Amino acid sequence: MQTNPPPPYASLVAVGDSFTEGMSDLLPDGTYRGWADLLAARMAASSPGFRYANLAVRGKLIGQIVDEQVDVAASMGADVITLVGGLNDTLRPKCDMDRVRGLLTEAVERLAPACKQLVLMRSPGRQGPVLERFRPRMEELFACVDDLAARHGALVVDLYGAPSLADPRMWDVDRLHLTAEGHRRVAEAVWQGLGHEAADPDWRVPMPPTLPPGWVTRRVTDLRFARQHLLPWIGRRLTGRSSGDGLPPKRPDLLPYDGSA
């Protein structure tokens, strides 16, 4: 039973990449919702006049997040700022982890004094060969997150350690982004981390097991994934392009939020 109510947070700014933008929680109008929007809607319901901005843009590396989003977020004077970044860097074949850690440190040092509560995350990882290949880099990144949080009084939401979010069924067909159910669970995790009473105390619990798909179905799915998602991703890496090139921030201004996109 909760004895101490959470602080009355009146504003939220979200900083990051596609994870925070909300891919692949697709709405009927073709836009993305995602965990940050869900969290903001829930916070707005209990805080009249609540304001929300989401500066995230898909495909951004930590250096781009620092250059394009951090100072903007710090200037907004929000009560809560969420920062999730660096994972895109770890997926690159040539990744300078010293540079990633340095940039993440720079971001935290700028954002922590600019808000009442900075929220960092240990990002979720989908079970499979991609996670196993990049796990050492990811865990190095998360160790940095833990250290920075301890030094700057930030909250760490551990999604990486949640069995439910490792389940491939929580991930879209591109195998990089969470489904709507995955985003719902992330929003719940952050909500609880901020001190609110749990709406879903079992968000970490995996979905009930189901029979795995047959060999033919798996091969067809693998081929479709390679054609529609993997090959275009490799093409962007080879040409130095990003899925977020030319896209504006999702919600660039800190404005009253009523739960709509």
Side-chain angles (χ1 to χ4, degrees), residues 38-67:
L38 292 169
L39 175 66
R42 215 189 266 195
M43 295 174 76
S46 59
S47 180
F50 184 84
R51 297 177 299 150
Y52 170 52
N54 190 324
L55 307 180
V57 178
R58 68 196 70 171
K60 293 299 182 180
L61 302 173
I62 186 61
Q64 294 170 309
I65 291 172
V66 170
D67 290 344

Side-chain angles (χ1 to χ4, degrees), residues 9 15 18 46 50-51 87 100 111 114 116-117 140 169 182-183 185 189 191 195 206 233 242:
Y9 296 126
V15 173
S18 59
S46 59
F50 184 84
R51 297 177 299 150
L87 202 62
V100 171
L111 293 175
K116 293 180 181 178
Q117 182 63 69
E140 186 176 348
R169 292 172 294 174
H183 280 283
R185 294 193 185 214
W191 174 258
W233 184 85
S242 167

Side-chain angles (χ1 to χ4, degrees), residues 101-142:
R101 288 195 304 271
L103 287 165
L104 186 60
T105 299
E106 181 180 345
V108 170
E109 289 176 346
R110 292 192 205 174
L111 293 175
C115 63
K116 293 180 181 178
Q117 182 63 69
L118 178 62
V119 178
L120 308 176
M121 296 188 196
R122 294 162 57 92
S123 304
R126 180 187 186 275
Q127 291 175 351
V130 173
L131 174 62
E132 294 311 312
R133 178 179 179 184
F134 294 103
R135 187 188 294 275
R137 288 182 184 172
M138 292 172 61
E139 294 186 347
E140 186 176 348
L141 177 69
F142 299 155

Side-chain angles (χ1 to χ4, degrees), residues 230-241:
L230 181 60
L231 291 177
W233 184 85
I234 293 173
R236 290 194 298 271
R237 299 292 78 77
L238 293 175
T239 57
R241 293 178 293 114

Side-chain angles (χ1 to χ4, degrees), residues 219-240:
R219 298 293 79 77
V220 170
T221 301
D222 289 343
L223 288 172
R224 184 182 299 118
F225 160 72
R227 182 175 64 253
Q228 296 180 356
H229 301 286
L230 181 60
L231 291 177
W233 184 85
I234 293 173
R236 290 194 298 271
R237 299 292 78 77
L238 293 175
T239 57

Side-chain angles (χ1 to χ4, degrees), residues 125-181:
R126 180 187 186 275
Q127 291 175 351
V130 173
L131 174 62
E132 294 311 312
R133 178 179 179 184
F134 294 103
R135 187 188 294 275
R137 288 182 184 172
M138 292 172 61
E139 294 186 347
E140 186 176 348
L141 177 69
F142 299 155
C144 180
V145 166
D146 290 343
D147 177 65
L148 289 170
R151 287 195 278 131
H152 295 277
L155 166 69
V156 177
V157 178
D158 184 15
L159 307 174
Y160 181 69
S164 62
L165 295 178
D167 189 326
R169 292 172 294 174
M170 287 286 180
W171 296 76
D172 193 38
V173 292
D174 66 2
R175 304 182 184 180
L176 288 174
H177 301 107
L178 291 170
T179 62
E181 173 60 14

